[in-house]
Amino acid sequence: NVAQDMVSIKIQVNRHFKMGLAGQHHPIFVEIDGRRYERTYSLSQLDAQHVQLTVKKVDQGKVSTWLVEQAKKGDRIGFGLPYGDMQQDSLTQQVVLLAAGSGITPMYSLIQQWVKNKSLAKHKVTLLYWVKTPEDAAFKGVFEDLAKEYADFKFKLFFTQTSTPDARLNQTDVEGIADLKHTQVYACGPSGFVARAEELFAQAQHFYGEAFS
């Protein structure tokens, strides 16, 4: 488990699998009780033969519940071709990542790729991450360790459903970013969150947003 009702599953892939770029999404096919279901998730590549699928259990979510609670070694999962624009090998000097809920998964994939290709050491990266409660924060330890290792990697968590909730994404978050016109901004989360991010960060050099419902 990486957070409350959230797990990471290690999957061995075959020679037909096509790995997308960090930050992209894959259609995923599973069979439950004789019926085939399709959902979309972001993956992280572990090595040439394995990927990591991180899933948040959704209330009354047939596929997410099965993946979190019932999937076991030996089960088969199908993958479609990767898609999505939330990936960039050419980074500006400053990058801002905005994530809400399970929108953290493509951000995690991007950051892991930047660690591997040494980009994280060369750029200023700020990750702002909104979750309901502290128990919902995925990969928190990973991000905290990176913040200690890389002076220009900043990580901040916001809790929206605690006794004293933090503010949701707002103008103050924009004002905390210097030189926005030379900054790439990535946002992933519910549609309202991404729409608000696009509105607030309209002056960014580049904005990449992906929403889920």
Side-chain angles (χ1 to χ4, degrees):
N1 285 29
V2 294
Q4 181 173 258
D5 292 331
M6 195 172 191
V7 301
S8 285
I9 303 170
K10 183 178 181 180
I11 302 171
Q12 182 175 342
V13 297
N14 63 23
R15 61 186 177 85
H16 300 292
F17 175 78
K18 178 176 174 55
M19 184 65 206
L21 299 173
Q24 288 191 304
H25 290 74
H26 283 76
I28 291 178
F29 308 96
V30 299
E31 187 172 300
I32 305 172
D33 299 330
R35 290 190 60 185
R36 190 170 186 255
Y37 296 86
E38 177 182 349
R39 297 293 186 270
T40 300
Y41 290 103
S42 178
L43 302 176
S44 296
Q45 185 169 12
L46 298 176
D47 55 43
Q49 293 183 310
H50 298 89
V51 296
Q52 178 176 288
L53 167 62
T54 299
V55 182
K56 171 77 172 177
K57 179 183 173 184
V58 179
D59 288 342
Q60 300 183 332
K62 185 85 172 180
V63 174
S64 64
T65 298
W66 182 83
L67 287 167
V68 170
E69 296 183 350
Q70 299 176 338
K72 61 186 183 302
K73 186 175 181 179
D75 286 336
R76 289 181 172 270
I77 296 176
F79 294 96
L81 293 176
Y83 69 93
D85 297 325
M86 193 175 290
Q87 39 77 26
Q88 284 289 312
D89 289 329
S90 178
L91 296 176
T92 54
Q93 184 59 34
Q94 182 163 260
V95 181
V96 174
L97 308 176
L98 308 170
S102 53
I104 195 64
T105 53
M107 307 306 186
Y108 173 79
S109 181
L110 283 169
I111 290 169
Q112 291 297 309
Q113 179 60 34
W114 295 339
V115 170
K116 289 178 184 176
N117 66 18
K118 312 296 185 184
S119 291
L120 202 61
K122 302 173 185 175
H123 298 84
K124 294 180 179 179
V125 177
T126 299
L127 171 61
L128 305 181
Y129 178 23
W130 282 262
V131 292
K132 293 178 180 178
T133 69
E135 291 74 30
D136 295 310
F139 311 116
K140 177 174 176 283
V142 173
F143 299 138
E144 288 176 338
D145 288 345
L146 289 174
K148 293 175 184 175
E149 184 177 353
Y150 297 92
D152 286 332
F153 178 75
K154 310 297 183 186
F155 170 54
K156 189 170 183 181
L157 262 174
F158 302 89
F159 307 120
T160 61
Q161 293 187 13
T162 54
S163 56
T164 53
D166 294 318
R168 295 178 183 271
L169 179 64
N170 61 76
Q171 185 63 35
T172 303
D173 301 308
V174 180
E175 293 167 358
I177 306 300
D179 200 19
L180 187 59
K181 290 185 178 180
H182 297 94
T183 299
Q184 286 178 358
V185 178
Y186 298 74
C188 188
S191 55
F193 174 84
V194 175
R196 180 63 171 150
E198 186 170 12
E199 174 188 331
L200 288 168
F201 288 86
Q203 300 304 313
Q205 181 173 344
H206 300 290
F207 179 90
Y208 306 93
E210 286 191 1
F212 55 79
S213 58

